[in-house]
């Protein structure tokens, strides 16, 4: 009898242990947490989000990120128009103008400021409300217009090398400063409240405080050949500013008055934009019909995008890894506006640009779902059009 009771007790304990063991999920490699794939921003590929074709003409762009609009000046069509920034589909024409050559959007007044070439005028165009464009007299050949709500808005009279500060309410010029040389691109620094001007013929870099127009520095760029554009660096204070010259990239700090060449080019450069907050710069080479990706870390090119036309204008899209590309193809008598994207290998948060020039919020690239067929010649679901090679 005692033997039988002992046998039942052992059987019961064995059954209980089996049930408890079965209720515990075994730990297997498949059930363990997956390690996230690390992103290498210097490895990846270009992708075309959309492409919109126009008749052959000079086109320049600016952004309204609150409504996801892309504003365009169409020189030959004599229009200021806008398209959807996510699809590339044309929405409407904001104004019919004489010779529009450059555009800036003021999100506070919701006005377009349009520089009009070959004249002494620029336009103030109300967006989304009735009212005719206001024509305002300024210096000869207004070739650039731009600004920021924290800095104010400015018009560059290219023929006489004068920069005008505008009255926000009335749109008229308040005061001006003389630059003394041709300027191809103006860089605004919202953090330090200044503007940088690469002086094209003097091969110098001028820094002017805004809105006071106080001359901060005027730096000799050394062997720089025809400086085109300035951009804020992502490295040490000694390389605070990068300057794109025709023959290479130079870096330095305007306050230290010391610039040196980082990289020499064999081809003549055009413009540059930073890819998000990475150390990558997209640099255009119009005569060679290509865009090359340059690393600020290694000072080398790491990717080349061959095009079937000349890349004549680039503009970064804040908060994304994207930039706008204006391409001219004289043989086909066509100009195209494309939204290009750098897609790095893996996953990671590389979207926010470095502090400096006009940071704005925008939808995340991760949440963007490009359409398949919106806009003229849209390439939303293909990595690149057939006529563009990575």
């Amino acid at each position: 009898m005692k033997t039988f009771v002992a046998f039942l007790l052992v059987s019961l304990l064995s059954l209980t242990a089996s049930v408890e063991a079965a209720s515990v999920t075994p730990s297997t490699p498949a059930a363990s947490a997956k390690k996230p794939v690390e992103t290498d921003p210097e490895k990846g590929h270009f992708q075309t989000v959309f492409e919109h074709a126009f008749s052959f003409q000079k086109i320049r762009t600016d952004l309204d990120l609150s409504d996801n609009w892309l504003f365009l000046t169409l020189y030959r069509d004599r229009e200021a128009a806008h398209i959807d920034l996510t699809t590339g589909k044309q929405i409407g024409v904001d104004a019919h103008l004489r010779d529009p050559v450059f555009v800036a959007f003021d999100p506070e007044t919701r006005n377009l400021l349009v520089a009009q070439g070959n004249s002494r005028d620029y336009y103030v165009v109300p967006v989304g409300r009735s009212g005719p464009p206001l024509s305002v007299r300024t210096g000869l050949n207004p070739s650039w217009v731009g600004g920021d709500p924290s800095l104010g808005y400015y018009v560059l009279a290219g023929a006489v090398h004068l920069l005008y500060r505008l009255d926000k309410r009335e749109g008229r010029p308040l005061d001006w400063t003389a630059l003394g040389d041709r300027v191809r691109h103006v860089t605004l620094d919202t953090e330090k409240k200044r503007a940088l001007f690469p002086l094209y013929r003097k091969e110098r870099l001028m820094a002017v405080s805004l809105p006071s127009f106080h001359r901060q520095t005027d730096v000799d760029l050394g062997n720089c050949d025809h400086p085109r554009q300035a951009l804020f660096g992502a490295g040490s204070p000694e390389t605070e500013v990068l300057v794109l010259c025709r023959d290479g990239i130079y870096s330095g700090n305007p306050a230290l008055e010391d610039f040196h060449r980082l990289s020499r080019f064999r081809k003549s450069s055009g413009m540059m934009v930073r890819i998000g907050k990475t150390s990558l710069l997209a640099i255009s080479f119009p005569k060679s019909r290509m865009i090359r990706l340059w690393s600020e870390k290694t000072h080398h090119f790491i990717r080349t995008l061959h095009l079937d036309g000349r890349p004549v204008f680039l503009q970064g899209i804040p908060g994304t890894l994207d930039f706008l590309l204006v391409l001219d193809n004289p043989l086909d008598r066509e100009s195209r506006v494309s939204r290009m994207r750098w897609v790095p290998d893996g996953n990671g948060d590389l979207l926010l640009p470095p502090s400096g020039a006009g940071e704005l919020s925008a939808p995340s690239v991760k949440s963007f779902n490009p359409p398949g067929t919106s806009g003229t010649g849209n390439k939303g679901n293909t990595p690149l059009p057939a006529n563009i090679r990575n």
Side-chain angles (χ1 to χ4, degrees), residues 185-203:
H185 193 278
V186 181
T187 301
L188 301 177
D189 184 350
T190 58
E191 182 178 343
K192 295 188 177 181
K193 297 189 180 303
R194 61 179 176 170
L196 302 179
F197 304 94
L199 303 181
Y200 189 74
R201 289 186 289 250
K202 294 182 178 180
E203 296 174 347

Side-chain angles (χ1 to χ4, degrees), residues 139-150:
L140 184 62
N141 186 23
S143 55
W144 175 90
V145 60
D148 178 87
S150 65

